[in-house]
Amino acid sequence: MLNTKKNKKIRRNRIIYLIQENFLVSVIIAVAIISMVISGIVATEHSRERGKDGGTKTTLVKADTINLAMFEPRNFNVYESIDEDIFYINQLVYSSLFKLDKNLNITPDVVSKYSVDTSNGEVNISLKDNVKFSDGSDLESSDVKASVDRIIAAESRSPYFVYASKINHIQINDSKNFTVVFNSASDAALDNLIFPITSAGEYKKGESFAIGSGPYAYSGHESGKTLKLAVNKYYYDGIAKLPIVFNIVKDRSVIPGLMTMDVVTAYLNKTQDADSIAQDKKLKYKKLASGELEYLGFNHENKYCSNSKFRIAISKAIDSSKIIKYNYAGAAVTSDSIYYPNFLGAKKDDTFNFEPKKATKLLKELKLKDRDEDGILEDESGNPVTLRILVQNTNKQRLEAAETIIENLKQIGINAELVSVDADSYKDKLESKQYDIYFGGIKIDKQFNLTDLYTTYNKIGFSDSKLLTQISRLEQSLSSEEQLKQFTAIKKSINQDASYVPVCYKAYWFLSVDTLKNADDVSFYSPYEGAVKWQWSKRKTK
C-alpha cells in the first residue's frame, strides 16, 4: 500500500539536502526540458483542469515512453557486467528458464513443463513453443546450452557463475527438450536455473548489446546521455505498452527533482529517508522489503542462550516495530522468521511476536525469578541473569537498535550490557565467542540460501545436524507446491530452535510519478517487473 503520511522528523533533517538539490535541479532544467521533447513523452489528451483565473490550464496527457534513470555502466555485457543497473535491465531484455515473483516464489519463464529427478540431480525441461528472440528467431535447447557455456567460460567475472557452475552439462534431446545434469543432487535447485538466455548463433564473445527474448530489446545508446529499449514485438507473453528510455545520470540525488519534471517516471531508491524526499516532491512511494536481514545470533556456549525456550523468551521481549520506527526511521519491515517476509506465501508464524507477558512466563518455566526483588532475574543459585550484546560501533542503526533491545530486556528483568567495538574487534570477539548475543546483518542473494548462517558463518556453536539437513533440502529442485510444503515445515523448526532471531529486513523505496499505473509487481530484486503493463500521464501547463 502506498504511504502518504508525513515524517516530520526526517523532513526537518532534509532541509539542507533540499536546498542543495533544488540548486542542482535548476542547473539542469534546460537539459531536462530538451530531454522531454526528444523522448517524445507527450501524446493523447487525457484530462484537463483550469486555473482560477481562467487563463492557465493543466492538461494530463498519456506518455508514450517510460523514462527511467541509471548510471553509465562500466560494462554492458550480459554475462560479465556487475553493474546493478545492468542486472535490472537484463531482466527486461532477456528471458530465463525460471524467474522469481515478488514473494521470491520460483515460477517458469520460458519453460512449459519440467520434472525433477532429485536422486540423480537432474531436471528434464520442455521449452514453450512460442518464445522468440527479438530478431524473430526461435529460442531452442541449443540456446540454453550455449548460454550456460558462456557463463562458465566467463568464470568468476560473471555474476551468474556461482549458479551455472553447479551444472555439469546439458543433454539436448531435441530443439525444445533437454536435461540439465547438475554436479550433485544437492546442487539441483531450480533457482540455479535463473540466468539470461542468449542466442547460440548471434552472440559474440564480450559484445555489449546481445539480443534476447525478453519483453524489450536494445535499440540505442548514446554514452553519457541515454540508453533506449524498444518493445520486442515477438515477446511471447504480451507486447509491452510503452518503450523505455534510461536517462544516464551522474548523481542519483537529482533524480527526485527530475521526476517532478516528468523526465524520470520511477526508480528504486535505497536511501533510508527516500519516503521523506518523495513527500517533499509530491511523489508516490512504496516500501519494498530488501534482501538485507538484521538479526540476533545466540551463543550456544552461554548457559542461558543454549536453551531454545530462553531464546524464544528473548525474542518475544523485543519490540521490532518500535525499533523499525525509531532506529531505522521506518525504512524496514518485520518478518516472522529469518527468511524473507512472506517468503513463498507461507502462513504466518507467531513465535517471534512481541509478547512480553509470554516472555516472562517462559522465563518462569526456566526457574528464573527476581529472588531479591531488585528488578533483575536470578537463577536458582541466585546469580543475576546478565547478557553481553555485541554490536559493531560503525553501524549506527544497529547500535541504536541494540540500545532499544537492552531497554526491552530490562522490562522482563534481564540485565544486558552493550559491547560496542570496531570491525576488527567485532570479528575477533565473534570468533572467540566473547559475547552472549551478537547483532549482525547479512545481504542475501536471489536464492535466499540461509544455510551459510548455520555453516560458513556459524559463529554461535550451532550443531543441530538434523535441522541443517532439513534446511539444505529446501535448496534442491522442487515444484512450487513441494517447496512451499517443505518451507512451512522448515520455518516452524528454525523458529522453535530460535538460534537466530530476525530484528527486521531493511527496506528500499520505489518512487514514482503520481500518475503511474500498474506497477504492482515490483520488488527489490526486480524493480521493473511488470513494466510491460505500465502506463502514466504527464502534466502539461499552458
Side-chain angles (χ1 to χ4, degrees):
M1 181 179 293
L2 294 176
N3 191 341
T4 58
K5 293 182 179 180
K6 299 285 186 180
N7 189 325
K8 294 181 179 178
K9 181 178 178 181
I10 296 178
R11 186 174 180 181
R12 286 197 298 271
N13 294 335
R14 296 302 300 164
I15 292 176
I16 295 176
Y17 166 85
L18 293 171
I19 292 173
Q20 293 173 337
E21 184 188 52
N22 287 335
F23 171 75
L24 288 170
V25 172
S26 65
V27 172
I28 63 171
I29 190 169
V31 175
I33 293 173
I34 293 172
S35 298
M36 285 189 286
V37 174
I38 293 175
S39 297
I41 298 173
V42 179
T44 310
E45 182 174 310
H46 183 263
S47 63
R48 179 176 296 173
E49 296 177 358
R50 291 188 178 275
K52 291 182 179 180
D53 60 1
T56 61
K57 60 183 179 181
T58 299
T59 303
L60 284 181
V61 292
K62 289 182 178 180
D64 62 4
T65 303
I66 296 171
N67 298 315
L68 302 174
M70 65 182 294
F71 284 134
E72 181 71 52
R74 289 162 290 183
N75 187 348
F76 277 99
N77 182 269
V78 56
Y79 295 129
E80 297 184 9
S81 178
I82 59 174
D83 290 280
E84 183 177 65
D85 288 316
I86 296 303
F87 176 78
Y88 295 147
I89 291 170
N90 282 348
Q91 296 174 66
L92 296 170
V93 176
Y94 304 97
S95 295
S96 178
L97 293 175
F98 296 89
K99 62 181 180 180
L100 302 178
D101 67 13
K102 61 183 179 182
N103 291 325
L104 301 186
N105 292 290
I106 298 174
T107 59
D109 188 359
V110 299
V111 173
S112 64
K113 61 181 180 179
Y114 68 96
S115 62
V116 179
D117 182 346
T118 53
S119 60
N120 291 317
E122 297 179 356
V123 182
N124 300 300
I125 291 176
S126 296
L127 296 172
K128 293 176 180 176
D129 291 326
N130 59 338
V131 181
K132 295 180 180 293
F133 288 102
S134 57
D135 66 353
S137 60
D138 291 335
L139 187 151
E140 298 182 343
S141 302
S142 58
D143 300 308
V144 178
K145 183 180 185 303
S147 298
V148 171
D149 292 342
R150 287 160 183 161
I151 294 171
I152 292 175
E155 298 182 324
S156 59
R157 297 192 309 277
S158 174
Y160 305 100
F161 178 73
V162 66
Y163 314 117
S165 62
K166 295 177 181 179
I167 298 173
N168 183 280
H169 67 277
I170 291 180
Q171 177 182 313
I172 296 178
N173 302 320
D174 58 41
S175 63
K176 294 293 181 180
N177 296 278
F178 58 92
T179 300
V180 180
V181 181
F182 287 89
N183 293 324
S184 67
S186 61
D187 289 330
L190 296 182
D191 45 19
N192 284 326
L193 300 178
I194 300 177
F195 52 79
I197 300 172
T198 52
S199 171
E202 293 299 322
Y203 179 85
K204 297 179 178 61
K205 182 179 179 180
E207 72 172 290
S208 291
F209 304 106
I211 65 170
S213 55
Y216 291 92
Y218 285 114
S219 63
H221 172 235
E222 190 173 357
S223 182
K225 295 183 179 180
T226 60
L227 172 69
K228 296 181 179 180
L229 301 184
V231 171
N232 176 8
K233 65 181 180 179
Y234 298 106
Y235 184 55
Y236 78 92
D237 197 26
I239 307 301
K241 293 183 179 296
L242 300 173
I244 296 175
V245 172
F246 283 89
N247 294 289
I248 297 174
V249 299
K250 294 182 178 180
D251 182 359
R252 289 193 191 276
S253 68
V254 305
I255 295 176
L258 296 177
M259 295 177 75
T260 66
M261 297 183 289
D262 291 332
V263 176
V264 175
T265 310
Y267 88 113
L268 183 68
N269 190 317
K270 297 184 178 182
T271 59
Q272 178 178 299
D273 56 353
D275 57 333
S276 178
I277 297 171
Q279 291 166 11
D280 287 316
K281 297 295 184 182
K282 295 181 173 58
L283 303 170
K284 287 201 297 188
Y285 59 102
K286 182 178 184 178
K287 184 189 291 189
L288 302 175
S290 75
E292 298 184 46
L293 168 65
E294 303 282 284
Y295 67 93
L296 301 178
F298 292 82
N299 184 354
H300 284 219
E301 293 183 2
N302 174 277
K303 67 176 181 177
Y304 303 120
C305 295
S306 61
N307 189 298
S308 61
K309 185 178 288 189
F310 181 84
R311 298 194 293 264
I312 292 174
I314 295 297
S315 73
K316 286 188 172 297
I318 297 173
D319 189 349
S320 291
S321 295
K322 181 179 179 181
I323 290 172
I324 289 171
K325 181 177 181 180
Y326 293 106
N327 305 134
Y328 288 84
V333 299
T334 59
S335 182
D336 65 344
S337 77
I338 58 173
Y339 280 86
Y340 189 70
N342 200 36
F343 186 54
L344 304 182
K347 184 179 178 181
K348 294 289 184 181
D349 184 273
D350 62 1
T351 302
F352 301 139
N353 283 6
F354 176 55
E355 298 173 302
K357 290 183 178 180
K358 287 188 177 182
T360 299
K361 182 181 178 181
L362 289 172
L363 294 173
K364 285 182 178 179
E365 292 174 5
L366 293 171
K367 298 182 181 180
L368 298 175
K369 300 178 182 180
D370 183 7
R371 302 176 192 279
D372 57 7
E373 299 184 351
D374 64 348
I376 303 300
L377 301 181
E378 290 87 25
D379 60 21
E380 291 182 287
S381 299
N383 299 311
V385 181
T386 300
L387 300 175
R388 298 164 298 170
I389 300 180
L390 177 65
V391 65
Q392 195 169 316
N393 60 18
T394 53
N395 191 309
K396 183 180 178 182
Q397 288 177 323
R398 285 181 204 155
L399 190 60
E400 293 179 353
E403 291 172 346
T404 300
I405 290 171
I406 288 174
E407 293 174 4
N408 289 159
L409 296 182
K410 187 176 181 180
Q411 298 302 311
I412 61 169
I414 290 181
N415 181 46
E417 300 172 353
L418 183 64
V419 182
S420 173
V421 296
D422 61 29
D424 289 337
S425 296
Y426 179 84
K427 182 178 179 181
D428 290 342
K429 288 183 180 295
L430 276 181
E431 294 292 343
S432 59
K433 293 186 172 55
Q434 296 180 54
Y435 70 92
D436 300 312
I437 299 174
Y438 82 87
F439 201 146
I442 185 170
K443 191 172 184 179
I444 306 168
D445 71 3
K446 67 181 178 63
Q447 288 188 314
F448 261 72
N449 185 344
L450 288 170
T451 55
D452 285 347
L453 277 178
Y454 298 89
T455 54
T456 307
Y457 304 124
N458 176 15
K459 307 300 181 184
I460 62 175
F462 177 85
S463 59
D464 188 338
S465 58
K466 183 178 179 181
L467 179 58
L468 183 58
T469 299
Q470 193 178 6
I471 294 170
S472 300
R473 194 176 297 130
L474 183 65
E475 311 306 326
Q476 298 178 14
S477 291
L478 299 166
S479 67
S480 296
E481 295 76 15
E482 291 172 331
Q483 192 175 38
L484 175 57
K485 182 179 179 180
Q486 190 90 273
F487 174 67
T488 299
I490 289 173
K491 183 165 77 167
K492 182 177 180 180
S493 296
I494 62 172
N495 283 4
Q496 289 302 312
D497 172 76
S499 289
Y500 296 102
V501 169
V503 175
C504 62
Y505 267 86
K506 287 186 177 182
Y508 301 153
W509 301 93
F510 180 75
L511 274 56
S512 71
V513 296
D514 61 4
T515 60
L516 180 64
K517 298 179 180 179
N518 304 323
D520 302 318
D521 298 325
V522 297
S523 68
F524 85 94
Y525 171 76
S526 183
Y528 309 134
E529 186 68 30
V532 292
K533 301 180 294 182
W534 289 7
Q535 290 181 300
W536 68 289
S537 299
K538 73 173 291 287
R539 290 179 177 82
K540 182 177 181 182
T541 302
K542 294 183 179 180

